[in-house]
Amino acid sequence: MPTALPRGCAEVSAVWRFLSRERTAGSGLRRVPGSADENPVLDEEERYAAKDLVEVYPQWDGQVVGRWNVGAGWALRRSVGEQVFWLNEGFKPKPKELAAGIPVLHNDAKGFLLCPTCGSILTQPPPQKDEKGGRRQPRTRSSGPDLYGHREGCARAGLPPLAQALVASNSAEVLRLIVPVPDEMDESAVNTWGYSLGYALLIGMQRLFVLDVSELEFELEGPWKLGTHRQVSLAFIDPSLGGTGYLRRIADEFHQVARIAIEHLDHLTARAPATAV
Ligand SMILES: [Zn+2]
């Protein structure tokens, strides 16, 4: 039976109104990458570029232990013991790297040249030119250090690297804010709106409970069709085994989280010209 949380209604709805207003004003909202006065801009961009390489796949297989209503049609649900996969396929290869024939996972991701046997980070030497000017693969040497960087005695010594993805999984605690979205809203607008609201709320959670950026993760799920409407889920993931207990407190104090999110957005708007928000 859902537990009403009337205190949260006005504040969460205000977040929605704020972002809707910004979007319709044509200011081009994008991901909100944290407070600009905490770190140099370059550091922020580098940190988020690397973090964005990791894709998160929550499996919706946990046990739901709490439900709350936050405003008309918005719902919060907290689950425990949910399996979450983190997938890192590396950076997108540059056109000249593809043209040079470097090993890649697929055309959109380079992967990592790790040896699954010895664990070394391998390298692919550049192809050598033969007498006719064509390319051929470098010849492996039978003695001396391995051409590709395998450890001594590795069963795959002398074998060229294959690109691999990195995968991790854990049993995590997940708090989802489930929100209906208008049918006429296209996918890029849903993404812009969802990421902006999600990161603003994440910052609200981090500030209210003085959390490090690594302690909670945010993932936008959907949109998907449910009955006559579409909905998205803003998933906040506590990746530590068994959970730290913060998500339950965040759900209880969601009105405070929304208040801080609004303050953060107001602060950004005040600091930046409208076209740069
Ligand atoms: Zn090896």
Side-chain angles (χ1 to χ4, degrees):
M1 191 70 171
T3 309
L5 186 66
R7 286 181 305 169
C9 298
E11 288 83 357
V12 177
S13 296
V15 175
W16 163 273
R17 281 200 304 277
F18 179 91
L19 290 162
S20 300
R21 190 172 67 241
E22 291 300 303
R23 187 172 61 78
T24 51
S27 59
L29 275 174
R30 53 178 169 75
R31 288 190 185 201
V32 179
S35 174
D37 53 12
E38 289 169 0
N39 292 295
V41 170
L42 190 61
D43 284 352
E44 287 286 307
E45 286 174 353
E46 286 175 342
R47 180 156 60 87
Y48 276 83
K51 191 168 180 290
D52 282 349
L53 292 176
V54 180
E55 293 176 10
V56 187
Y57 295 92
Q59 297 299 297
W60 287 74
D61 59 352
Q63 181 190 358
V64 178
V65 292
R67 294 182 193 272
W68 298 260
N69 292 325
V70 279
W74 293 38
L76 268 179
R77 75 195 275 279
R78 184 171 70 91
S79 63
V80 297
E82 177 166 337
Q83 192 171 29
V84 177
F85 290 98
W86 288 266
L87 174 69
N88 188 346
E89 296 187 315
F91 287 101
K92 186 179 170 76
K94 298 183 179 78
K96 67 178 182 186
E97 290 175 319
L98 285 175
I102 66 159
V104 295
L105 208 55
H106 52 78
N107 280 356
D108 289 323
K110 283 202 275 191
F112 299 90
L113 304 185
L114 282 173
C115 173
T117 303
C118 70
S120 289
I121 298 172
L122 306 179
T123 54
Q124 173 75 50
Q128 297 166 346
K129 294 270 175 75
D130 61 23
E131 285 152 7
K132 294 174 186 164
R135 283 174 174 162
R136 61 185 170 80
Q137 290 301 310
R139 201 173 288 152
T140 53
R141 284 170 286 186
S142 55
S143 62
D146 185 86
L147 182 63
Y148 303 106
H150 291 279
R151 286 182 207 277
E152 195 175 339
C154 175
R156 299 176 65 87
L159 292 176
L162 288 173
Q164 320 251 358
L166 304 180
V167 181
S169 76
N170 203 357
S171 170
E173 191 173 328
V174 184
L175 181 69
R176 287 187 170 87
L177 179 61
I178 297 174
V179 187
V181 290
D183 269 345
E184 63 275 15
M185 206 170 174
D186 68 33
E187 192 167 337
S188 71
V190 170
N191 285 340
T192 300
W193 173 81
Y195 280 119
S196 299
L197 176 57
Y199 278 108
L201 289 170
L202 182 64
I203 287 164
M205 294 169 190
Q206 289 165 344
R207 291 192 180 168
L208 183 62
F209 293 99
V210 197
L211 302 174
D212 187 80
V213 291
S214 64
E215 290 183 271
L216 278 184
E217 298 179 14
F218 163 66
E219 182 68 14
L220 177 65
E221 300 173 301
W224 67 88
K225 192 92 177 164
L226 187 74
T228 56
H229 69 281
R230 293 189 307 160
Q231 62 181 22
V232 295
S233 154
L234 311 184
F236 301 94
I237 301 161
D238 180 347
S240 56
L241 192 62
T244 56
Y246 279 114
L247 288 178
R248 184 183 53 75
R249 294 172 61 191
I250 285 166
D252 284 338
E253 299 288 326
F254 208 73
H255 60 298
Q256 296 283 15
V257 170
R259 179 182 56 76
I260 295 171
I262 292 168
E263 285 171 6
H264 170 73
L265 291 166
D266 284 343
H267 177 66
L268 278 187
T269 310
R271 283 170 53 93
T275 53
V277 172

